[in-house]
Amino acid sequence: ERIEIPESVNKFEYSCFDSCESLKSAVIKAKLKKPGAYVFKNCKALENVTLAEGVEVIGQHMFAYCENLREINIPSSVTTIMKYAFFNCINLNTINGGAGIKRIDRGAFFNTGFFNNPENRENGALYLNKWLLDVDKSEKSFEIKDETVCVSVGAFNDCSKLKSVSVPASLESMGDYNIFDGCSSLESINVNEDSNYLSSENGILFN
């Protein structure tokens, strides 16, 4: 029911704990830079996870479908959360830490309790710390809030009604591909003129 992975471990094999139905607690002391993909996928009884400071990447689908996981503490060493890392963790309501995150891939928190709770949304969007995770599909004009640093991959996807986006000076990155995929009505993107990272001219975004 409980597993503790010591510091001496330097690699997780693909899907190594996938569908371990009785696993309830995992303590990962190994300071792996890249823990790997699908490691704890579908461990439906998993309730508690401890990640060691030193882990830099939470891998693709690493905790996907862990339906009893309710809280995660993300070490400050984590810089990247890969796609669908916590997908369908329907009871994951609390996400702590994550101060060092520089990139969040598509669907990393999709269909989690945190993602689905309307009380976590403000002004038509879902934020995690200084990250914009998702924009409501009904938005027609959207202003990214001040102090937002980055936009996760896929945050604007399929916002077909969206016509304009305002970008604050604080924003450093808007993902690296298909930023506005499916935004068929988008007419303009306007970046605050004080930005040191991005710019816009005649409604067109420049990196």
Side-chain angles (χ1 to χ4, degrees), residues 188-199:
S188 65
I189 303 163
N190 300 296
V191 179
N192 187 296
E193 61 182 12
D194 293 328
S195 175
N196 293 320
Y197 308 101
L198 304 168
S199 64

Side-chain angles (χ1 to χ4, degrees), residues 67-80:
E67 296 177 355
N68 273 308
L69 186 62
R70 287 171 166 76
E71 182 175 358
I72 188 74
N73 296 306
I74 301 173
S76 60
S77 58
V78 171
T79 61
T80 303

